[in-house]
Amino acid sequence: MELREYQKEAADKLYWLLARKQFAYLMGEVRTGKTLTALSLIERLGIQRCLLVTKKKAIPSIEKDAKALGLQDKVLIINYERLPKFAWTFWQLLIVDEAHSIGAYPKPSGRWKNLRQMSYEKVLLMSGTASPESYSQLYHQMTLHRPVWAQYKNFYEWAKKGYVDIGEKYIGTGQTVNDYSNANKELILKDIDPYVVRMTQEDAGFETKIDEAVRYVEMNETTYRLAQEIIDDGIAEYHADEVFLGDSFSGGTNLDGNNYADFVILADTGAKRLSKLKQIYCGTVIGEGSGKGIIFDRSKAEYIKQRYGNHKLAIMYCYEAERKMLYEAFPNATDSPEEFNENKDAVFIGQVRASREGVNLSSATYLVFLGVDFAALSYLQARDRASYLGRDTPPRIRYVFAANGIETRIYSTVRKKENFTISHYNKVRGELSSEAGKKIRERRLRGDQAA
């Protein structure tokens, strides 16, 4: 497998950083070939023991690339959930894919702690959305190997040194807590720049833009009744004909022999009201206490099937009851990206947080979202799943919202957070990892091909 010219240039910079600094961060926009670029460094650095950590759904395609490069005996590819089994192991190179997932703050995430229990010589981070919600998410990522900010004992000490404008916010219980999200963008990016290599879709030659639009569906009376009761009182009741939990139904049987159950939907805090309303406007909701989901309105599923069913279609959902509703509407559904791309008649139906990263849905004509997720990461990453170099028509992204619902406001809020990602690829920032770039240019001028 041959790297493209922009990938070779990025690989040169990464090699220089890893050889001399033992740390690098590859920030590449979606579908620019970050993984292949990273894998190409293993042989070049003389690595015999490499661990690559990623999301579970991304493993098959990465293993395929590793095998094509003849690296199957030098790199082990695992998902984050397996990390505890590798505590106290040693690796010459640790590659952390989707590194933003270890960016929790102010306290470190379990994933970050699991990674720190291993020993490693060099660390390569990779992400297309390094800080999707706040620049504060970069602290724990960069301190995995401490190339910067080693002088600070923890996030709180770092924040107080001018990296964060610490404010206050209310949480669901009405309590006030410190808000660390308002980070000092200029100071943080200045510190991390020497270790960052960027690849953009423009570098890769992407010419098509995403065709993104919102479509509205009139829901049934039950949806609007439940939503209004949650808004007014924070509680709603529903007598369910269908109670969905996993792959089974529960509830008693009435005189007509139909499944039934009485459901209480409780939303006693602002955060819970928002969550329940988002569920309700998609036609399903999780009941109080039991964790069971009910399906009471199939309007969106029917709309998607009628409007997009004759196209190569991929659909993203949030909750299990939504999955069941969609699978009922599309009997030819699969959650395997590989099967979807190989079978022209297959419809991909995937949980948005599980499918937003490392998944290739390039054969899709339409990528449809059943509502919208609260996380900016889901918006930024998932919508690019259908992009690929050489595509001659723009990927068509459709968000299906309830008419007169709450989803438009969530969508607007999430889109505003896009700036946290775009800034990492802003041309006015100049060429990043400038020291590495300078050394590589000098080497090329000398005609010296040895890195």
Side-chain angles (χ1 to χ4, degrees), residues 173-188:
T173 58
Q175 294 175 298
T176 302
V177 297
N178 284 342
D179 180 3
Y180 295 95
S181 63
N182 189 17
N184 188 326
K185 168 187 169 182
E186 287 72 22
L187 183 58
I188 292 171

Side-chain angles (χ1 to χ4, degrees), residues 30-31 98 316 355-363 367 380-388 397:
V30 177
R31 316 305 300 165
E98 311 297 356
M316 299 282 191
S355 304
R356 67 191 179 190
E357 298 153 329
V359 171
N360 176 10
L361 301 175
S362 57
S363 65
L367 175 56
L380 294 167
Q381 287 263 21
R383 65 178 182 163
D384 279 308
R385 293 303 100 200
S387 299
Y388 65 92
I397 311 301

Side-chain angles (χ1 to χ4, degrees), residues 16-28:
W16 190 93
L17 287 167
L18 289 169
R20 290 163 175 77
K21 306 291 187 180
Q22 318 305 317
F23 181 91
Y25 200 139
L26 176 55
M27 295 184 183

Side-chain angles (χ1 to χ4, degrees), residues 42 47-52 74-76 91-93 95:
I42 294 174
I47 300 296
Q48 299 299 315
R49 284 181 56 82
C50 173
L51 181 68
L52 192 155
K74 297 181 179 181
V75 58
L76 176 64
W91 304 92
Q92 292 173 293
L93 174 63
I95 301 177

Side-chain angles (χ1 to χ4, degrees), residues 370-400:
L370 187 78
V372 62
D373 190 42
F374 289 118
L377 187 60
S378 297
Y379 170 76
L380 294 167
Q381 287 263 21
R383 65 178 182 163
D384 279 308
R385 293 303 100 200
S387 299
Y388 65 92
L389 184 62
R391 181 167 189 150
D392 54 8
T393 59
R396 297 172 181 173
I397 311 301
R398 298 293 181 264
Y399 294 88
V400 179

Side-chain angles (χ1 to χ4, degrees), residues 305 308-314 329-334 336 338-349 363-364:
K305 184 172 185 177
Y308 305 111
N310 293 327
H311 299 274
K312 187 62 174 171
L313 176 63
F330 296 94
N332 54 336
T334 179
S336 165
E338 292 78 18
E339 181 180 345
F340 170 71
N341 287 323
E342 292 171 2
N343 182 354
K344 65 181 180 64
D345 297 319
V347 173
F348 179 85
I349 296 178
S363 65

